[in-house]
């Protein structure tokens, strides 16, 4: 693809995961930046805190991701000035979708996972494709390791069917500690088999007390 | 549309304590249409040696027939069954013979060798062997299988636990792949017995 004179994207690799709980949300991403078979840096954050209860993790082409995060952060600041409050996670979710679809015919090469707390304080995760199609789910993975991680999250956190009545919550009953442990486990597994995932894992946990950040070492090979 | 994704398949083998398990999905499709929901992908060579063939179904069947033929000749000449390592070399040689017009199959070989030591290996469609101590995967769901097996596997599992682990890994992985699924078929082999089980999963 890169032999063409007009191919303007590249994939910098990496994996992002988010898990929603009853009153918390875990958003995690590895910190490796690659191009082709080379590593550019082992220490690059893919996570952006857009609002106090809203965190975005994106993998794909870092050029587009930097621009997208900057765009959204600017729009959030405008919202703050106009409405005298920070953007809620569901509002940011819609804004992200619209921002992505705005460039439907020259997309942001970004695979996004938005996590945070909704207006009731419950955990929420929104998962996107590159052109803005989105869905609120209980958990999601995007990026090069997503196909390795999703089946394991399905197995451990299986969402109830949306056809069930009465409607059941998609958020997991697991505790915050158990969810963080699960995220660490799935990243360790993805690191073994995906060459673009590794180095360090950045975990952000959002709950009503605020936002906590943690770094875990992953395999560096 | 890759030729390897024409029929859809998922095969996995895992090593346990003095035992192994080999499993596959049961769907046979022609691109997006499902033709059969009881298609056999794991074949017996002898009591302690099994081969799972993912990829193009016609090549899987032809390759199996050729391998059984070669093994029967070996049995007549040597008056014994083939060791798994020898069989793996045979499969590798047969595939490389067709280097410039290959069989579109990825075999997964699992057997109990000398002293009932479990042996698993996989190879690509032209015979590059890859031995593993823990698990091997192949098919359209291979990426999902890698993730699931890597998370769920631990060494030296007893047969019951191994069966549970390989079943969960297979069913979770094929549920994320539209071309494989419609149940699972698991074979658990110990030095004394062989257990075959059919799994019911999402039938889609």
């Amino acid at each position: 693809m890169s032999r063409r004179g007009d191919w303007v994207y590249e994939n910098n690799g990496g994996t992002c995961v988010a898990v929603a709980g009853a009153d918390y949300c875990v958003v995690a991403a590895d910190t490796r930046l690659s191009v082709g078979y080379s590593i550019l840096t082992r220490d690059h954050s893919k996570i952006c805190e857009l609002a106090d209860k809203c965190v975005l993790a994106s993998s794909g082409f870092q050029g587009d991701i930097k621009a997208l995060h900057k765009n959204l952060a600017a729009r959030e600041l405008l919202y703050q000035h106009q409405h005298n409050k920070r953007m809620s996670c569901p509002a940011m979710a819609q804004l992200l979708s619209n921002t992505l679809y705005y460039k439907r015919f020259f997309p942001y090469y970004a695979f996004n996972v938005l996590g945070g707390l909704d207006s009731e304080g419950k955990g929420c995760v929104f998962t996107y494709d590159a052109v803005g199609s989105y869905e609120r789910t209980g958990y999601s993975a995007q990026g090069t390791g997503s196909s390795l991680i999703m089946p394991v999250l399905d197995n451990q956190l299986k969402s109830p069917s949306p056809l069930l009545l009465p409607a059941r919550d998609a958020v997991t009953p697991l505790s915050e500690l158990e969810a963080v442990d699960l995220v660490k486990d799935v990243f360790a597994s993805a690191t073994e088999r995906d060459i673009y995932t590794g180095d360090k894992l950045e975990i952000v946990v959002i709950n009503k007390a605020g936002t906590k950040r943690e770094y875990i070492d992953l395999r560096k090979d | 549309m890759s030729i390897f994704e024409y029929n859809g398949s998922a095969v996995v083998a895992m090593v346990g304590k003095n035992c192994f398990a080999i499993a596959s999905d049961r769907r046979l499709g022609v691109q997006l249409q499902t033709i059969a929901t009881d298609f056999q992908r794991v074949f017996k060579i002898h009591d302690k040696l099994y081969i799972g063939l993912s990829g193009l179904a016609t090549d899987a069947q032809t390759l199996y027939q050729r391998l059984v033929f070669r093994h029967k000749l070996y049995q007549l000449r040597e008056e014994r069954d083939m060791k798994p390592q020898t069989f793996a070399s045979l499969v590798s040689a047969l595939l490389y013979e067709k280097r410039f017009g290959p069989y579109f199959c990825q075999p997964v070989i699992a057997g109990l060798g000398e002293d009932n030591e479990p042996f698993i290996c996989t190879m690509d469609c032209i015979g590059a062997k890859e031995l593993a101590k823990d698990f091997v995967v192949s098919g359209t769901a291979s990426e999902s299988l890698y993730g699931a097996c890597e998370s769920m596997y631990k060494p030296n599992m007893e047969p019951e636990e191994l069966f549970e682990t390989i079943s969960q890994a297979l069913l979770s992985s094929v549920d994320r792949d539209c071309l494989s699924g419609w149940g699972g078929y698991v074979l658990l082999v110990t030095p004394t017995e062989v257990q075959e089980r059919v799994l019911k999963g999402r039938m889609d």
Side-chain angles (χ1 to χ4, degrees):
Chain A
M1 275 289 207
S2 40
R3 294 240 177 95
R4 295 177 57 141
D6 60 351
W7 185 249
V8 297
Y9 297 109
E10 73 187 11
N11 190 352
N12 297 119
T15 308
C16 304
V17 166
V19 175
D23 60 351
Y24 66 87
C25 186
V26 180
V27 179
D30 70 320
T31 60
R32 173 177 286 179
L33 203 68
S34 341
V35 71
Y37 289 119
S38 306
I39 296 179
L40 291 172
T41 179
R42 299 191 191 275
D43 213 352
H44 181 266
S45 176
K46 297 184 180 62
I47 298 183
C48 178
E49 277 179 47
L50 294 169
D52 59 342
K53 304 248 182 296
C54 185
V55 170
L56 174 63
S58 318
S59 83
F61 173 42
Q62 280 303 131
D64 276 351
I65 288 168
K66 273 271 168 315
L68 178 67
H69 287 190
K70 198 172 174 188
N71 194 330
L72 292 172
R75 290 296 301 270
E76 203 278 334
L77 190 59
L78 270 171
Y79 182 98
Q80 260 193 291
H81 289 152
Q82 287 167 353
H83 297 86
N84 197 24
K85 63 172 180 161
R86 305 221 55 185
M87 268 181 100
S88 68
C89 197
M92 181 54 82
Q94 178 84 73
L95 176 63
L96 175 54
S97 170
N98 293 346
T99 309
L100 292 169
Y101 197 80
Y102 194 72
K103 278 171 60 67
R104 168 67 177 82
F105 299 109
F106 181 18
Y108 287 109
Y109 193 139
F111 299 99
N112 302 288
V113 174
L114 187 76
L117 302 180
D118 65 13
S119 341
E120 294 164 18
K122 279 207 286 220
C124 61
V125 168
F126 296 89
T127 186
Y128 296 79
D129 71 357
V131 285
S133 159
Y134 79 117
E135 186 192 4
R136 180 171 176 172
T137 57
Y139 57 88
S140 181
Q142 290 282 356
T144 50
S146 63
S147 53
L148 285 88
I149 292 179
M150 270 315 255
V152 183
L153 294 182
D154 282 337
N155 189 270
Q156 299 293 312
L157 304 171
K158 190 51 178 271
S159 284
S161 166
L163 303 170
L164 287 171
L165 283 173
R168 313 261 162 99
D169 242 336
V171 298
T172 175
L174 286 182
S175 76
E176 196 182 298
L177 239 55
E178 287 170 331
V180 170
D181 276 343
L182 174 64
V183 165
K184 290 179 188 172
D185 275 343
V186 293
F187 263 95
S189 305
T191 303
E192 294 285 311
R193 296 282 176 172
D194 176 26
I195 58 174
Y196 297 110
T197 303
D199 293 332
K200 272 212 307 283
L201 171 62
E202 184 182 3
I203 306 181
V204 174
V205 182
I206 308 132
N207 51 28
K208 63 175 187 288
T211 311
K212 248 183 4 237
R213 198 170 286 248
E214 198 184 340
Y215 291 93
I216 310 290
D217 268 349
L218 294 172
R219 280 182 70 157
K220 297 180 180 347
D221 65 354
Chain B
M1 152 63 73
S2 160
I3 191 69
F4 288 100
E5 290 160 20
Y6 186 71
N7 294 126
S9 51
V11 179
V12 56
M14 274 190 188
V15 165
K17 190 162 185 195
N18 297 325
C19 63
F20 69 85
I22 182 166
S24 75
D25 72 321
R26 304 188 81 208
R27 179 183 178 270
L28 173 73
V30 170
Q31 297 188 316
L32 46 77
Q33 181 174 28
T34 300
I35 303 292
T37 56
D38 58 357
F39 187 69
Q40 191 190 6
R41 272 194 185 92
V42 175
F43 303 99
K44 181 168 113 163
I45 303 294
H46 63 75
D47 281 334
K48 294 193 177 153
L49 181 57
Y50 291 81
I51 181 165
L53 290 158
S54 70
L56 196 61
T58 177
D59 280 353
Q61 289 181 331
T62 304
L63 197 56
Y64 166 66
Q65 287 165 5
R66 289 194 63 196
L67 288 166
V68 151
F69 168 69
R70 294 292 299 263
H71 183 253
K72 282 185 177 169
L73 269 179
Y74 183 93
Q75 275 177 326
L76 286 171
R77 290 181 183 135
E78 301 262 330
E79 292 179 23
R80 65 182 177 91
D81 289 333
M82 244 193 211
K83 281 189 253 182
Q85 292 84 346
T86 315
F87 182 70
S89 296
L90 170 66
V91 178
S92 174
L94 234 61
L95 290 172
Y96 198 80
E97 264 177 2
K98 303 278 183 218
R99 171 64 177 80
F100 299 107
Y103 288 112
F104 296 110
C105 277
Q106 270 150 306
V108 161
I109 296 161
L112 289 175
E114 307 274 276
D115 301 325
N116 290 321
E117 188 67 37
F119 170 87
I120 51 169
C121 87
T122 185
M123 48 193 87
D124 68 1
C125 63
I126 42 178
K129 242 188 301 185
E130 178 57 52
L131 305 179
K133 295 202 179 67
D134 42 13
F135 58 86
V136 287
V137 306
S138 102
T140 50
S142 61
E143 282 207 32
S144 304
L145 279 165
Y146 269 126
C149 290
E150 197 66 60
S151 299
M152 297 180 193
Y153 179 82
K154 52 186 208 282
N156 288 326
M157 281 187 276
E158 294 294 330
E160 294 73 31
E161 203 191 348
L162 182 68
F163 167 74
E164 203 48 53
T165 306
I166 201 175
S167 306
Q168 289 290 334
L170 181 69
L171 289 178
S172 309
S173 305
V174 303
D175 284 349
R176 281 280 167 181
D177 175 26
C178 25
L179 297 175
S180 47
W182 279 94
Y185 174 77
V186 183
L187 254 160
L188 192 83
V189 180
T190 59
T192 46
E193 58 164 354
V194 172
Q195 294 172 28
E196 280 181 41
R197 263 173 274 207
V198 171
L199 305 172
K200 181 154 189 245
R202 282 185 68 116
M203 300 308 204
D204 62 357

